Amino acid sequence: MTGSVADVRRSALGVLMPGFVGTELPGWVDALLCQGLGGVCLFGHNVDTPAQVAALTASIRNANPHAVVAIDEEGGDVSRLHQRTGSPFPGNAVLGRIDDVDTTRAVGQSVGTQLADVGIHLTFAPDADVNSNPDNPVIGVRSFGADPVAVAAHTAAWTDGVQAAGVAACAKHFPGHGDTATDSHVSEPVVTADAATLAGRELVPFRAAIDAGTRAIMTSHIRVPALDPDAVATFSPVILEELLRDELGFDGVVVTDALDMAGASGTIGMPAAAVAAISAGADLLCLGSSSSSTEVEALVDALMNADLAGELSPGRLAGAAERCGALARWATDRQGSGSEHRRTAGEVVVDVRRVASSFTLSERAERLLAGPPPSVRWVRIEPEPNIAVGDTPLGPFFDGGAVPSLVVPLDDRGVAADVASEPDVLTLVVGRELHRDAGALAAAATIAAPGEALVVDLGFVDSDLVDIATFGASRLVGEALLALVEGSA
C-alpha cells in the first residue's frame, strides 16, 4: 500500500463513528481504533455503571487517544447514561417552562460533569429544535418549546454549561426538525415552511448555539424544499456549506444523525450515504447503534474510492478527519485540566418542587389535590415506542416509584373498560402524548368517565381531556409528580 493510499484510508476511518453491542470494547473496534477510527458512539446498551463506562472509554482512548467518544445524553427523556433507571434531570421542555437560563446552564454543567467523569468527549445535545408542530412524533419534550427566541436563549445556556465542564455540545437537528409530523428514523420527513419562516424560527436557536461556541452541530435527515429541493439536509451542500458554514459562520464539526436511519440510507444504502454526507460537508458520520466490522470496512472502501477517483473535493476527506481529531483533543485538554466549572457530582440543580411548579393543572386537578393527600391508584397507558427515547422507565414508574394497578397495553386498549371506580380512591391515568394515539386517548377517556380519575400526560399536550401535563417523562419529572400527588411539592 502506498503512502498516499494509506493516508486516504486513515482519513476515511477518521470520519467514521460506529456503535457496537456490549459493555466492553470489541476486538474489531479496538483494531480499527488503532488504525485511526475517528470515534465511537455509546448507546444505552453500552452503559451499566459509571465505573464500567469509565473503563470502556479508557480502553477507547488507549487504542486511539484522538478518537471522539460520543453519547446521546440530553438530560431528560433521552438519556443514554441513565437509560436503565431514568434521568435525574428535568429535560428541555421543563427547563423551557421554568424559563431561567441560569438553571438551564447549571443543568448543562451537571450533565457535562457526569459525562466528563466517565471520559466522554461529545454529547448530542442540546436539542435546538423549535417544537412548532404538536404532532411531531420524535421531538416533543426534547425541545425547549415553541418560541424561537426562548429556545435560542436556553440552547445557548445549555451549550455554555456543558462545554464549561469540558464536554463538547452538539446542537441538533440542523436546520430544524420541529415542524415535522413523521420520524426520520423510519421515514423522510419534509418541512414545508418558506425561507422567511425558517430564518425567523428554525435557524434562530442554531445561530445562538454558534454564537455560544458550540463545538459541533448535528444534521437532520429531513427534506427542506425552501432551502434545497433536491436533497435531505445531511446530503445537501446548499444547507451544510452555503447556509451553515458560509452564512451562519460555523467552523466546528458537522456530525450526521445516524446513517442507518431510513431518512438517510433507506433507499441508497450506507456506503453511498457516507460518501454523499462527506461530499455535502459533513465531518463525522454517526453510523448507528450496532455496527459491524464488515459494515465499517464497506464504508471505508466507498470513501477511499470516492476520494481517489476525484469524486470528493480535494482535501475534503482529510479536512473532515482533522476536524474530528481536533474535537477529541479539545475535550481531552479541557477534561485533563480539571475544569473549575464542573459541578459537584450528585448536586441537586432543580428540585422536585420547582419541577412540579412547571406542570399545568386543570381546575379539577387543583381541587382534588388541594386537601389532604388522597388514596391513589395508578394506571399506566403504554405509549407507542419512541426510537429516540428507547426502553427507559416512564415518568413515575421507575424502580421504587409508583406501581400501576393496571397497565393498558398497546395491543389491547380495551382493557381500560375493566377499570372500575373505587370509593375514596383517586385514579391517576398516566400516558405520554395521548393526542397522538387515538386508542390511548380513548382508553384514558373511558377510565376518567366516572369522574374518579385524573388524566396525566407526560408529553406535550393537545387534548382537553388532560388534567395534569408534566412536559417530560424523566425520573426527576416522575418524582415531582409523585411529590405533587403526595402533597409534598
Side-chain angles (χ1 to χ4, degrees):
M1 180 178 288
T2 67
S4 172
V5 175
D7 289 344
V8 174
R9 175 176 168 79
R10 191 166 189 88
S11 292
L13 277 167
V15 302
L16 300 181
M17 182 171 60
F20 60 86
V21 177
T23 55
E24 296 182 352
L25 190 66
W28 68 268
V29 179
D30 185 280
L32 289 177
L33 283 165
C34 292
Q35 297 169 40
L37 184 66
V40 172
C41 186
L42 303 184
F43 291 83
H45 55 244
N46 302 124
V47 174
D48 185 10
T49 66
Q52 168 267 321
V53 177
L56 175 57
T57 62
S59 65
I60 294 169
R61 290 192 302 276
N62 184 60
N64 181 0
H66 305 299
V68 176
V69 184
I71 198 167
D72 199 356
E73 180 55 62
E74 297 180 8
D77 286 26
V78 175
S79 177
R80 304 305 178 223
L81 205 58
H82 301 285
Q83 187 156 332
R84 299 187 184 193
T85 58
S87 173
F89 301 106
N92 284 2
V94 171
L95 289 172
R97 291 178 60 77
I98 292 173
D99 199 20
D100 179 347
V101 292
D102 289 336
T103 297
T104 297
R105 184 177 295 106
V107 169
Q109 286 179 318
S110 290
V111 172
T113 296
Q114 290 192 357
L115 295 176
D117 284 347
V118 295
I120 290 171
H121 300 134
L122 170 68
T123 181
F124 298 142
D127 191 310
D129 299 308
V130 178
N131 195 59
S132 56
N133 189 336
D135 288 327
N136 196 312
V138 69
I139 303 302
V141 299
R142 301 166 67 193
S143 165
F144 289 110
D147 176 8
V149 174
V151 172
H154 288 282
T155 294
W158 207 98
T159 296
D160 182 60
V162 76
Q163 293 194 161
V167 173
C170 182
K172 62 186 183 185
H173 306 79
F174 190 79
H177 207 315
D179 189 19
T180 60
T182 56
D183 184 350
S184 53
H185 289 88
V186 295
S187 65
E188 184 183 286
V190 178
V191 174
T192 58
D194 59 30
T197 299
L198 294 168
R201 187 178 65 188
E202 271 72 18
L203 297 184
V204 175
F206 289 101
R207 289 183 184 273
I210 292 168
D211 289 344
T214 185
R215 308 299 299 190
I217 286 179
M218 176 177 279
T219 70
S220 59
H221 308 320
I222 62 174
R223 194 173 292 273
V224 189
L227 299 178
D228 185 343
D230 300 320
V232 298
T234 299
F235 305 144
S236 170
V238 174
I239 292 174
L240 300 188
E241 291 287 356
E242 296 180 19
L243 176 58
L244 181 57
R245 295 288 193 202
D246 298 340
E247 182 178 334
L248 300 186
F250 179 64
D251 61 1
V253 174
V254 176
V255 185
T256 69
D257 209 343
L259 291 184
D260 65 348
M261 293 165 60
S265 59
T267 59
I268 63 174
M270 292 276 283
V275 172
I278 291 294
S279 180
D283 300 308
L284 184 57
L285 310 183
C286 180
L287 306 186
S289 62
S290 55
S291 308
S292 68
S293 59
T294 301
E295 177 184 81
V296 174
E297 289 292 354
L299 270 59
V300 169
D301 289 345
L303 290 167
M304 288 182 65
N305 290 337
D307 188 82
L308 294 170
E311 296 172 12
L312 299 176
S313 300
R316 171 85 270 275
L317 185 62
E322 172 52 33
R323 274 201 184 101
C324 298
L327 178 64
R329 291 191 293 273
W330 175 88
T332 299
D333 291 345
R334 292 293 293 268
Q335 293 176 17
S337 66
S339 173
E340 63 184 26
H341 299 290
R342 292 193 193 180
R343 302 185 70 88
T344 303
E347 177 182 355
V348 176
V349 179
V350 190
D351 64 24
V352 293
R353 289 177 180 271
R354 203 168 185 206
V355 172
S357 72
S358 73
F359 299 167
T360 60
L361 276 65
S362 68
E363 291 182 1
R364 186 164 169 277
E366 290 179 342
R367 185 178 69 254
L368 290 175
L369 297 176
S375 296
V376 301
R377 61 174 176 172
W378 298 82
V379 174
R380 185 176 77 222
I381 299 181
E382 284 295 285
E384 293 181 343
N386 184 306
I387 296 174
V389 173
D391 186 13
T392 192
L394 182 68
F397 302 109
F398 54 85
D399 187 18
V403 178
S405 61
L406 175 71
V407 174
V408 179
L410 277 166
D411 58 357
D412 189 9
R413 300 302 200 192
V415 301
D418 298 332
V419 179
S421 60
E422 296 181 13
D424 302 319
V425 174
L426 178 64
T427 301
L428 293 166
V429 188
V430 183
R432 182 174 63 202
E433 295 183 343
L434 292 165
H435 66 280
R436 296 192 59 256
D437 182 341
L441 193 63
T446 297
I447 299 170
E452 302 282 340
L454 292 176
V455 176
V456 181
D457 197 313
L458 302 176
F460 271 114
V461 174
D462 192 22
S463 170
D464 293 336
L465 180 67
V466 175
D467 294 295
I468 302 174
T470 69
F471 300 91
S474 72
R475 178 181 179 128
L476 178 60
V477 170
E479 291 171 345
L481 177 61
L482 286 167
L484 175 70
V485 173
E486 295 165 358
S488 57

